[in-house]
Amino acid sequence: MGYSSENVSDFEANKANNKAMEAGADRYTIPPHYEGEKDIVGEMDERERDIVEDGIHKFSRLGWKRLTVVLIVEAIALGSLSIPSSFAKLGMVAGVICTIGLGLVAVYTSHIIGQVKLKFPHVAHYPDAGKLLFGRFGKELINVMLILELLFLTGSHCLTGTIAFVNITSSGMCAVVWGVISAVILLLLAVPPSFTEMAILGYIDFASIILAIGITIIGTGVKSTREIGLSNVNWSAWPQEDLSFTDGFIAISNIIFAYSFALCQFSFMDEMHTPKDYIKSIWALGITEIVIYTLTGALIYAFVGADVGSPALLSAGNTLSKVAFGIALPVIFISGSINTVVLGRLVHGRIFKNSPIRFINTKMGWITWLAVITVATIIAFVIAEVIPFFNDLLSICSALFISGFTFYFPALMWFKLIREGKWNEPKNLMLGALNLVVLAIGLITLVGGTYSSIDDIMINYRKGSVRGVFSCTPP
């Protein structure tokens, strides 16, 4: 393969620390994570084989508890900050029903994805599942969709970071400068390439969002009690009387965005030492998300009313809003950076799929990794500047991409990859009907959500209610 001693010097420095892990590796059943692995191993010398072996162990250390943490980091972030504004559009009853119902559907489709991973261990990322569904075309289509979705997600975190810094500092500094600072922070946090390493930051991330939401709930409750009394808050059990199709669908799309963890699940499970334990993780995450989102949406809407802001932290009042955004900075940037890591692993692994460089444990591995995530972060920053409005950016992500990754693709996986036995068996009839409903939800979200997002973006630009592209005006 032509690797010099310089290429493996950093690997040698860490090799001794990996021996203990290698000694205990027999306890685990490590799947063949990387396409082409057997073909290239036969062409390597002993040192290169050590690099590959070290890389396989490096990316096979994730247990179900850490998987839960990583999923929480990826999932419970910006979505929770848009839920209260969705309640304001849909009303309390529909808001609660949609939040709980869509959450349960997301848990079910995540279960299907886990079943596909167990049945087809070589599936390392979502595009690999696309190949099983539709051949080479499916793989390339889903590959493009996943890359775009991850870029949009990172961009939405960059935008939220800009909003947070502008709100916290009130300094009058150009908003684009805060956008650049946010992008740099996202890039630095995306440097560790392993999800096991990223999980360590997850505990800070989870504490950050819970504290920020808690401060917002308490702050809005106290403010409403003092100023007008809770009984006078302008909230309703039913949708707004003048609710348009566009506004209603954007509200639903923002709830769907909050349950977007399925798109990264294949990538996360590919690092698990015991993949069958995934079921514990998705239920732990699903229940946590449903409880947090329902309480956040219902309480903040009940305390603030129809004028609730988005992100919801804007509704806490001037001083408390600054505190809440300050506490939320870790979740804004840690959750955002993990999307960059997933994107980087997908692109880097594909470029170097037949080379030990993909394991990112040599000098060239690190150079190419840093190049990939830097380019991804720059593109995400541009997206944040081009679509500088929070709800519409989340909505268009939901419509174009999450509708597939969370709904219609998993439904198709059940029909084509998971279903066993005859169609007229009671179990298959029941699950078939359920997956048809899931498929319909995904397709309706794709069409209706895309139309609504584009329509609202055009309306906002016509009204002049949003700052211009690369403008210093605060978002």
Side-chain angles (χ1 to χ4, degrees), residues 148-166:
L148 289 174
E149 166 64 357
L150 291 167
L151 286 172
F152 270 77
L153 283 173
T154 304
S156 65
H157 283 266
C158 186
L159 174 61
T160 311
T162 304
I163 295 172
F165 282 130
V166 169

Side-chain angles (χ1 to χ4, degrees), residues 104-116 126 133 403-420 423 425-444:
L104 292 174
V105 173
V107 171
Y108 171 68
T109 56
S110 186
H111 176 56
I112 293 176
I113 288 173
Q115 289 180 303
V116 172
Y126 218 120
L133 286 173
S403 60
F405 294 126
T406 301
F407 297 115
Y408 61 80
F409 284 143
L412 293 174
M413 288 178 198
W414 184 85
F415 285 111
K416 294 196 67 175
L417 306 176
I418 299 300
R419 182 186 64 84
E420 296 178 351
W423 272 108
E425 293 179 4
K427 179 181 178 181
N428 283 337
L429 288 174
M430 181 182 67
L431 290 176
L434 175 60
N435 282 282
L436 282 175
V437 172
V438 174
L439 180 64
I441 292 173
L443 295 177
I444 291 171

